[in-house]
């Protein structure tokens, strides 16, 4: 596709259940990012993948959060035993490389509501 | 931990007025970006500033990066209702931290016709 694709666009889940959010980056983009955005606020960095390098997981808020990326393609963000404070928009972004001249493109996000 | 303080958080103005949004930090950034976000969509990059003291213009929008690369401002001249949205600044530390953008809290701008 032309842009960063995320699914599902909306997810309502019960507290304690696990959820998986998927991101399909722009073809050819080696860098992939996950951010979290609470309502009306700025974005919170979660994790960053760059090619075959070890991911930067320093933003993951707890061990209930994990993410994987297969090569330079799809990434999955998993939240285990969801809590109400996990409710937010989870945004994925990609860029051509980690070079400073490359624009980061965001997807439309996955709205997660934990009830 | 790098922090970006963005102000004001809310701005409600009439069409034709001018406005400025500020982004301040005690940390130095290798670059600073401004994004605009519409409801239900992801942020869209407006501009990247890299050099201390740099000024970039995008039609009625003027972006400035502070000399010390710790702060930035976005000035909109003669605001239009179409400028309504959430404006976000984001700093990039560079080096091994590249890619980990630090975002400000955002400014919700409403321009009334």
């Amino acid at each position: 596709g032309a842009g960063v694709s995320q699914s599902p666009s909306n997810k309502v889940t019960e507290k304690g259940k696990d959820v998986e959010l998927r991101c399909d980056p722009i073809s050819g983009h080696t860098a992939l990012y996950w951010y979290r955005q609470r309502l009306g606020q700025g974005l919170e960095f979660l994790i960053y993948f760059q090619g075959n390098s070890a991911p930067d997981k320093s933003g993951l808020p707890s061990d209930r959060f994990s993410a994987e990326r297969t090569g330079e393609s799809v990434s999955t963000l998993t939240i285990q035993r969801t809590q109400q404070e996990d409710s937010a928009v989870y945004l994925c972004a990609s860029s051509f490389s980690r070079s400073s001249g490359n624009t980061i493109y965001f997807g439309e996000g996955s709205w997660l509501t934990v009830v | 931990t790098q922090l970006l303080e963005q102000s004001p958080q809310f701005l409600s103005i009439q069409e034709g007025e001018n406005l400025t949004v500020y982004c301040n930090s005690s940390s130095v950034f290798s670059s600073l970006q401004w994004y605009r976000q519409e409801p239900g969509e992801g942020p869209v990059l407006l501009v990247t500033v890299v050099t201390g003291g740099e000024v970039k213009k995008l039609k009625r929008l003027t972006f400035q990066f502070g000399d010390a690369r710790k702060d930035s401002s976005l000035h909109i001249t003669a605001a239009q209702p179409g400028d309504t949205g959430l404006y976000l600044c984001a700093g990039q530390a560079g080096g091994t931290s590249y890619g980990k953008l630090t975002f400000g809290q955002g400014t919700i701008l409403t321009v009334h016709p």
Side-chain angles (χ1 to χ4, degrees):
Chain A
V4 177
S5 178
Q6 291 188 245
S7 61
S9 55
N10 284 284
K11 175 74 176 179
V12 180
T13 190
E14 291 182 352
K15 178 181 172 181
K17 294 282 180 70
D18 297 352
V19 295
E20 280 191 356
L21 308 176
R22 176 188 166 107
C23 174
D24 205 339
I26 293 172
S27 178
H29 281 192
T30 61
L32 186 147
Y33 320 78
W34 283 98
Y35 285 84
R36 177 169 70 178
Q37 184 176 30
R38 294 203 163 95
L39 189 62
Q41 296 187 18
L43 280 67
E44 198 185 341
F45 169 79
L46 297 178
I47 188 169
Y48 162 55
F49 296 90
Q50 171 61 55
N52 295 320
S53 303
D56 180 342
K57 303 180 180 181
S58 60
L60 293 178
S62 76
D63 59 8
R64 295 186 297 104
F65 288 73
S66 63
E68 293 184 348
R69 187 182 186 193
T70 307
E72 294 184 353
S73 61
V74 171
S75 175
T76 303
L77 176 69
T78 301
I79 308 173
Q80 296 178 308
R81 305 181 303 281
T82 52
Q83 304 294 313
Q84 288 184 330
E85 62 263 27
D86 299 334
S87 296
V89 178
Y90 289 83
L91 288 156
C92 178
S94 70
S95 65
F96 183 66
S97 76
R98 58 183 286 164
S99 146
S100 64
N102 290 290
T103 300
I104 297 173
Y105 295 89
F106 283 85
E108 294 186 345
S110 291
W111 287 78
L112 175 65
T113 304
V114 182
V115 297
Chain B
T1 303
Q2 295 184 306
L3 293 174
L4 267 173
E5 295 292 330
Q6 190 172 340
S7 63
Q9 188 176 358
F10 300 96
L11 204 48
S12 180
I13 61 172
Q14 293 297 126
E15 181 176 2
E17 293 183 357
N18 301 332
L19 65 112
T20 303
V21 179
Y22 299 93
C23 205
N24 295 292
S25 176
S26 58
S27 303
V28 175
F29 292 99
S30 63
S31 67
L32 198 137
Q33 302 174 353
W34 285 91
Y35 291 82
R36 180 179 161 189
Q37 186 176 19
E38 302 281 356
E41 298 181 7
V44 175
L45 180 67
L46 294 174
V47 78
T48 300
V49 285
V50 178
T51 306
E54 183 176 3
V55 176
K56 281 192 175 179
K57 292 193 175 184
L58 187 65
K59 296 183 180 179
R60 293 177 294 100
L61 279 60
T62 302
F63 304 86
Q64 186 163 8
F65 202 12
D67 290 342
R69 290 184 290 134
K70 293 182 179 181
D71 55 86
S72 181
S73 64
L74 157 61
H75 183 78
I76 301 179
T77 304
Q80 305 291 314
D83 295 328
T84 294
L86 173 66
Y87 289 82
L88 296 157
C89 62
Q92 204 144 40
T96 57
S97 299
Y98 188 86
K100 189 193 306 186
L101 290 171
T102 299
F103 278 83
Q105 305 95 315
T107 296
I108 298 174
L109 171 65
T110 305
V111 183
H112 301 280

